[in-house]
Amino acid sequence: MIAYLGPEGTFTHEAVRRWVGARAGGGDAAQQPLATVREVHDAVASGAADRGVVAIESSVEGYVVPSLDALVGSPDVVAVDEVVLDISFDAFVRPGHADPSGLREATAHPHGLAQCTRFVAERGLLPVPASSNAAACRDLADHQVAFGPRLCGELYGLETLATGVEDFAGARTRFVVLCRRDDATAAWAPARAAGHGSASEAWRTMVAVTPVVTGPGVLARVTAEFAERGVNMSSLVERPLKVRERQYVFVVTLDGAPWEPQVRDLFAALLGAGDSLKVLGAFPVAPGGPGLDGVLPDHVPTGSVLGADDDATVARGLLW
Amino acid sequence: MIAYLGPEGTFTHEAVRRWVGARAGGGDAAQQPLATVREVHDAVASGAADRGVVAIESSVEGYVVPSLDALVGSPDVVAVDEVVLDISFDAFVRPGHADPSGLREATAHPHGLAQCTRFVAERGLLPVPASSNAAACRDLADHQVAFGPRLCGELYGLETLATGVEDFAGARTRFVVLCRRDDATAAWAPARAAGHGSASEAWRTMVAVTPVVTGPGVLARVTAEFAERGVNMSSLVERPLKVRERQYVFVVTLDGAPWEPQVRDLFAALLGAGDSLKVLGAFPVAPGGPGLDGVLPDHVPTGSVLGADDDATVARGLLW
C-alpha cells in the first residue's frame, strides 16, 4: 500500500500515480490518502504502508519545511526515490455546463486561486476559497469553475474548460518516496542492478549533519570536508535545534550515493570530527537532471556589486 | 505611509502596529494594506510608502521564500528593522452570539483552520475555509466562530469566545521592515545614535553572496572567509539562479553591522575573490535575542549516529 498526503486529487496524488506508472507491475498497489505528513510517516514506520509520498520542495516556495523536519526527526523512515512534477492547473466545470455565460464563480484552495488570478479576472469570476483543490472539484456547483491538477477531471467526472490556466508556467514540485529504513537497501536494488550509478551524478543523497560544537567556524569546517573530496553539495538547508540554542542541523543534498567511496570517506571524516550524521534519503537522479535545478523562478540579486565597481556603487550595495 | 501585505487584520498588520507602537511619534503614520509582496516592494521603491512590512521567516514553515526572493531581486529596497510576533489565534463570534449551542461552523484561512483543529473537534464545528483569517472575521455569520489574530476582534467589533486556541503554542513569525536603499542610513541613525551596536551581537546583517565560479568548493571557500574573521552566520539559505544552471546565491544572516570592521573586512575579502555581494538588510537585534532562535519546533535528527557507535548502528544510520 502507498500512503500519501491527501485528499484524493492533489498534486501529491498525481505524483503517486506517476511513480507507480513508471514501475513495472506497480499499478496494482492500493493508494491511501492521509491527512498529515506525520500520518504518512507513521504509516510507513509501522509497516501499514510499504511506501509514502510527500512533497519536499517547490520551485516557488522552496523546501516544504514540515516534510523536511519530519524526515530529520524520524528514526525509521528514509527517502528512496523522488518524483518531479510540473505544477499546472486545469479549469473544470460540471458535465454539460461548459457554457461560459452561466459560470459566475471560481473555486480552489486559496493557493490555487492565487496562482490562477488572470483566468479569474479575464472571465469576471468571483473567487470562492475551498479547503483543497480536490475538494473544490469534488463539490463543484453548476455555476462554478474549479482549478486543480489534471487528475481531478477524471477523478470527479468533470469537463475540462481550459488547460494550463496558471498565471506563470514552469513551476515544479519535488516529491520524495519514503520507505522503512530497514527496507531501503532492497528498495534501491533494482536501480543499482540496472547499472544506475556508474557516474557520480547518477545518485543524490540527503544527509543530516549535526555538528558537536557550534560557533563561527562550524559550517566552514563541514563544507571544507566536502570540498576536499570534490563532493558537490546541490543544496544545503540549515535548521536550528530547539533543544540546544544556537545549534543547528545542516541538511545537505549531495551528488553521489552513500555507498560510493568518496561519500563513505566524507562520512567517515565527519564522524571522525565528532559530528552526528544521518542519511535521510538517496535516490537515482531522474531523467532530465537533478531536482528543480534550472526551473526555479528568477531571482538574480539585482543591485549586487563587484570588487571592480567604483566606491560609491560598492557603498550603496553594501551600506557599510 | 507604511505599506504591508494585507488584508487588514492579518498577522502582518499586527506586526505593523507593534512596530509603530514601539517608535516615539510613529503612531500617526497611515497604514496601507496591499495585495502582494511585489506591490509592497514597488510602493517602497517608488517612494509611495516610507516603509513596507512583510513576513520573512516562520518558526513552522521556515523562510517565506517569495519575500526572500523579492529582497534578493530588488535593487532599491532594503530591510532596516525586524519585528518578531507570537502567532496565536483567538476565536471570535459576533456580538451577542457567544452562546455555544448556536455555533455550528468554524471559519478561517485553511492554514488557520489547520492550526486550530483541536478547538474545532472539541466543539464539533464544521470547518469552512475563507480566503484569509481577516476575511473570515469580517464576514462572520451568527452561527460561526472565526479564528484570527487578536487585532481582528477590535477591527471588526467581534466578541472573543476564547484566546490562544491554536493546537501548539510557541509559533513565531519574523517580519522585516523595508525602506528605500538610499534611506537606510537615515533609518539606522536613531539606533546607532542610541549606542545600539557596542557589542558585535547587537546587529544582524543579511547579505546575498553570488560566487563567480561554482563547483564543489565554492561554499567551503565562502564559509572559510567568515570563519577566519570570527563572523558568525546565524543562518544560511541557498537559492539557485534560474539564469545560470548550477549557480547559486547564498543569503547569509550574520552577527554584526555592515559598517563594523570585521564585517567590512569580510566583505572586502569576498569582493577580492570576485564574488558579487549585496546587503539585503541590517537591523538591531530585538530585546530577547535574535530572530527565531530557541523557539523553533523540535526536530532533533533522531537516529543520527556518531563515530563511536558500533558498525551495525553506523551502517543503519548511513545506509552505506
Side-chain angles (χ1 to χ4, degrees), chain A residues 210-219 221 244-248 250 275, chain B residues 232-234 293:
Chain A
T210 313
V212 263
V213 285
T214 172
V218 58
L219 186 58
R221 179 181 58 73
R244 283 164 289 181
E245 200 161 324
R246 294 215 150 209
Q247 191 164 352
Y248 298 87
F250 301 107
D275 296 333
Chain B
N232 189 53
M233 294 182 167
S234 60
D293 229 43

Side-chain angles (χ1 to χ4, degrees), chain A residues 61 65 72-73 181-182 210 223 235 238 240 242 246 276-279 293 296 299 301-302 304-305 316-318, chain B residues 61 65 72-73 181-182 210 223 235 238 240 242 276-279 293 296 299 301-302 304-305 316-318:
Chain A
E61 305 283 343
V65 172
V72 169
R181 181 167 284 270
D182 296 330
T210 313
T223 54
S235 99
E238 189 191 83
K242 185 182 186 180
R246 294 215 150 209
S276 170
L277 295 188
K278 182 168 77 154
V279 166
D293 229 42
L296 286 113
H299 39 83
T302 315
S304 279
V305 297
R316 185 171 192 273
L318 302 188
Chain B
E61 305 283 343
V65 172
V72 168
R181 180 167 285 271
D182 297 328
T210 314
T223 53
S235 99
E238 189 191 82
K242 185 185 184 180
S276 170
L277 294 188
K278 182 169 77 155
V279 166
D293 229 43
L296 286 114
H299 39 81
T302 317
S304 278
V305 297
R316 186 171 190 272
L318 302 187

